[in-house]
Amino acid sequence: MSAMLLLSTATMKAEVDPNFYIFLCFGQSNMEGAARPEAQDLVSPGPRFLLMPAVDDAQRGRRMGEWCEATPPLCRPNTGLTPADWFGRTLVASLPENIKVGVIHVAIGGIKIQGFLPDSIAQYVQTAPQWMKGMLEAYGNNPYERLITLARKAQQDGIIKGVLMHQGESNTSDPQWAGMVQRVYDNILGDLQLKPEEVPLFAGNIVQAGGQGVCIDCKRQIDELPQTIHTCQVISSDGCTNGPDKLHFDAAGYRELGCRYGETVARFLGFEPRRPAGLSTLNSQISTLQVPADAVTAETTVPGNEFPKVDSQRRAYFRVSAPQAQSVQVDICGKKYDMQRDGEGQWWAVTAPLVVGFHYYFINIGGMNFIDPSTETFFGCNREAGGIEIPEGPEGNYYRPQQGVPHGQVRSIYYPAAHDASASGQSPNSQIVWRHAMVYTPADYEKGKKRYPVLYLQHGMGEDETGWSRQGRMQHIMDNLIASGEAVPMIVVMESGDIKAPFRGGNNRQGFSDYGASFYPILLNDLIPYIDSNFRTRADREHRAMAGLSWGGHQTFDVVLQNMDKFAWMGAFSGAIFGLDTDTAYDGVFTRPDEFNRRMHLLFLSCGSEENFGTEALANSIRSHGINVEYYVMEGTHHEWLTWRRSLRHFLPLLFK
């Protein structure tokens, strides 16, 4: 009987409590905590918020690896208030009373992310500054191993639900930082046998100090971390107050940031976030979100709707009705903003200032992306997507319709393709496939019998034949340039190019492409003959051009450089043309400069200054063979439609002259 009782007791003790939610906290000084706790911070939140200390603390009677009530300092005996303090308090206030919260906290002031990578920690310890060595020694000179060891012990008691990180200031502008953070996160998940969808990474942003923060340059790299780690959510530090060093938050700033961590995690867990008693007046987005008087309805908003709006600082405001949702986010090109519930079924969000131009976005509800019903839809990201235009000033008039300028037409056509590799037969006796294209005709096309040169203009990967006329505003650029006399009137043809679906592998060496190559015989043998037969074209190579953005630029190189008997003008805007050997590519076409320059009247390359697509190196490599290249850089732009609008504006005046 006694043996059975002992076995039963041991079994009960080893049972994991599914209502004990555990979070791993790591990082550098702003996770460690640099502000002195104040009176309200020292009051214990009670037995529902627990700490498993990562070091012994004799003064407070704490022993490493043994749960205790979580009051500051959570990190080491001489550290201060940390975001984890008010993260836990906020989570306790937001979750049902039967759920308790535990944290394991390992942080070292000034540590680089390399200090948490198992394969580099030994070398990092050897070269660490003297002032850091005592902190490293407190964790046995292996802070990552200390975190994992305690996490494994904690898994005997509860369920790990998330990883909280505040790090980056010591890796400012390090292009490898995001990849190293991913390795740390992946190591944690692998060592603890966790699933990323169940255990996200929550990354806090840095001290901003009104744009004067010491490490303000790393804000962008943290904001972009979700582009590398798809389960990462960034915790905004907008408005969080800081100390005089403009490097660390003050106590109020740590409370605010901690509450935001807690609110974000609560929503992820499916609970309505609530702040601890007495902190409801802090700078939470839900209580302070006010749409300024200068905000106007975005031009991409469906008529009859008030939101989305854009203010004079280029911040976007969103409102979505989702009364049954537990968590809602706005996802703009991979950067996610938590939306706040207003108590009446409406969710609200405001973004940081956005760069001018066009942005795809989605509303994420419970982990699933949806199109905002209040916005026009655009094909991008390999699917229908929402979109918002952040307006430029007068400098953007070149892509806007202008009074007094004659306007051309963008026609939607269907044409028969007998060379479609995917043809399965539209009728029992036919292998013809009907394909869709958009065709721009200039304003004077309907007024005479004149014939026109033709530009075949391709979009990028994951977009479709409507991209250039909708996102790119091609027709307005064309109208304005023709009216000013800068460009000759021409027909522009836009097709899907078979690159709407994602790239799924295969050979994509230039000239041997798989992705999108099914379009090449269709363009040459079906589309061009159809256009020449049904529109008044000048149907010879001297009056035929091809250009494209991103993967459309790749297609342009593949098609034109292998069919110079059909084209005499070409352009690639941010062309996805990687690893091109200009000595051998396309049967060595670049090694015959006299022939190339005589036959190809224009080779145009362009990119945004922030892209790092290797376009300049490509232009220089081609030029080294004596080839004439027109190369343009769009200052301040990335891989985006603003780059390509500007590229088209520079390209068109050079054609057919």
Side-chain angles (χ1 to χ4, degrees), residues 434-450:
W434 289 90
R435 293 177 63 103
H436 184 237
M438 309 298 291
V439 179
Y440 166 85
T441 55
D444 62 0
Y445 184 83
E446 305 297 330
K447 298 178 181 179
K449 297 182 180 180
K450 176 182 175 182

Side-chain angles (χ1 to χ4, degrees), residues 87 105 123 169 185 205 248 328 339 343 365 375 400 416 557:
F87 156 75
H105 198 286
Q123 181 180 0
E169 295 100 319
Y185 177 57
N205 223 311
H248 299 99
V328 183
M339 301 191 78
I365 302 178
T375 188
R400 299 184 180 115
F557 264 55

Side-chain angles (χ1 to χ4, degrees), residues 117-138:
L117 285 169
D119 58 356
S120 63
I121 182 60
Q123 181 180 0
Y124 188 84
V125 169
Q126 290 180 358
T127 59
Q130 190 63 39
W131 54 264
M132 189 185 293
K133 292 188 180 295
M135 294 183 272
L136 288 165
E137 290 171 0

Side-chain angles (χ1 to χ4, degrees), residues 7-328:
L7 179 60
S8 175
T9 303
T11 302
M12 291 175 62
K13 184 175 182 180
E15 201 170 294
V16 174
D17 182 357
N19 291 320
F20 186 15
Y21 293 177
I22 297 165
F23 298 86
L24 311 182
C25 308
F26 79 95
Q28 56 189 110
S29 58
N30 271 317
M31 179 58 80
E32 183 184 71
R36 182 186 299 275
E38 298 173 352
Q40 59 188 312
D41 308 311
L42 297 171
V43 177
S44 172
R48 287 184 57 212
F49 181 29
L50 302 178
L51 167 71
M52 177 180 280
V55 298
D56 291 334
D57 185 348
Q59 178 183 346
R60 296 171 181 84
R62 297 175 177 176
R63 297 186 62 183
M64 181 177 66
E66 295 183 2
W67 293 109
C68 61
E69 289 190 12
T71 54
L74 301 186
C75 190
R76 298 187 307 280
N78 296 319
T79 56
L81 191 65
T82 164
D85 280 294
W86 287 90
F87 156 75
R89 293 167 188 254
T90 301
L91 213 51
V92 165
S94 303
L95 272 52
E97 291 188 0
N98 65 319
I99 296 177
K100 59 183 180 180
V101 176
V103 294
I104 300 171
H105 198 286
V106 174
I108 296 176
I111 194 170
K112 290 189 174 183
I113 195 64
Q114 290 91 329
F116 292 97
L117 285 169
D119 58 356
S120 63
I121 182 60
Q123 181 180 0
Y124 188 84
V125 169
Q126 290 180 358
T127 59
Q130 190 63 39
W131 54 264
M132 189 185 293
K133 292 188 180 295
M135 294 183 272
L136 288 165
E137 290 171 0
Y139 298 117
N141 284 323
N142 196 327
Y144 175 82
E145 184 60 34
R146 180 65 55 88
L147 183 69
I148 296 302
T149 298
L150 295 180
R152 288 187 176 125
K153 185 175 189 297
Q155 284 180 304
Q156 301 172 24
D157 303 319
I159 310 295
I160 295 176
K161 291 288 188 177
V163 179
L164 277 59
M165 180 187 80
H166 200 289
Q167 202 280 332
E169 295 100 319
S170 294
N171 292 87
T172 300
S173 301
D174 183 347
Q176 306 301 317
W177 178 78
M180 289 187 285
V181 173
Q182 182 174 31
R183 287 169 55 196
V184 174
Y185 177 57
D186 289 347
N187 287 338
I188 291 172
L189 297 178
D191 288 341
L192 300 176
Q193 298 183 354
L194 303 171
K195 298 178 180 178
E197 292 77 12
E198 297 175 358
V199 185
L201 176 68
F202 301 93
N205 223 311
I206 46 79
V207 166
Q208 297 187 45
Q212 302 300 312
V214 172
C215 298
I216 193 66
D217 288 345
C218 73
K219 180 181 184 299
R220 176 177 164 186
Q221 70 186 26
I222 296 172
D223 282 337
E224 294 177 350
L225 190 57
Q227 297 178 20
T228 301
I229 303 174
H230 76 280
T231 57
C232 175
Q233 296 188 46
V234 175
I235 312 303
S236 170
S237 62
D238 292 358
C240 290
T241 53
N242 55 272
D245 62 1
K246 297 183 180 180
L247 179 63
H248 299 99
F249 299 100
D250 60 13
Y254 282 118
R255 290 187 204 104
E256 176 61 21
L257 189 64
C259 286
R260 293 180 185 180
Y261 270 104
E263 290 167 339
T264 302
V265 172
R267 292 187 199 98
F268 167 75
L269 296 172
F271 299 99
E272 182 71 20
R274 297 178 181 173
R275 294 210 167 193
L279 289 187
S280 58
T281 59
L282 280 178
N283 183 30
S284 65
Q285 193 178 27
I286 189 170
S287 64
T288 62
L289 178 57
Q290 296 181 357
V291 181
D294 64 9
V296 297
T297 301
E299 59 184 279
T300 40
T301 301
V302 172
N305 291 280
E306 185 180 1
F307 291 87
K309 287 187 170 186
V310 181
D311 70 14
S312 61
Q313 302 302 308
R314 307 192 313 276
R315 293 182 294 246
Y317 298 80
F318 297 90
R319 183 180 68 189
V320 175
S321 178
Q324 302 303 315
Q326 295 298 316
S327 64
V328 183

Side-chain angles (χ1 to χ4, degrees), residues 614-633:
T615 308
E616 182 176 9
L618 174 65
N620 290 336
S621 180
I622 295 174
R623 280 173 175 161
S624 70
H625 293 284
I627 302 294
N628 298 328
V629 179
E630 291 282 344
Y631 172 60
Y632 286 81
V633 177

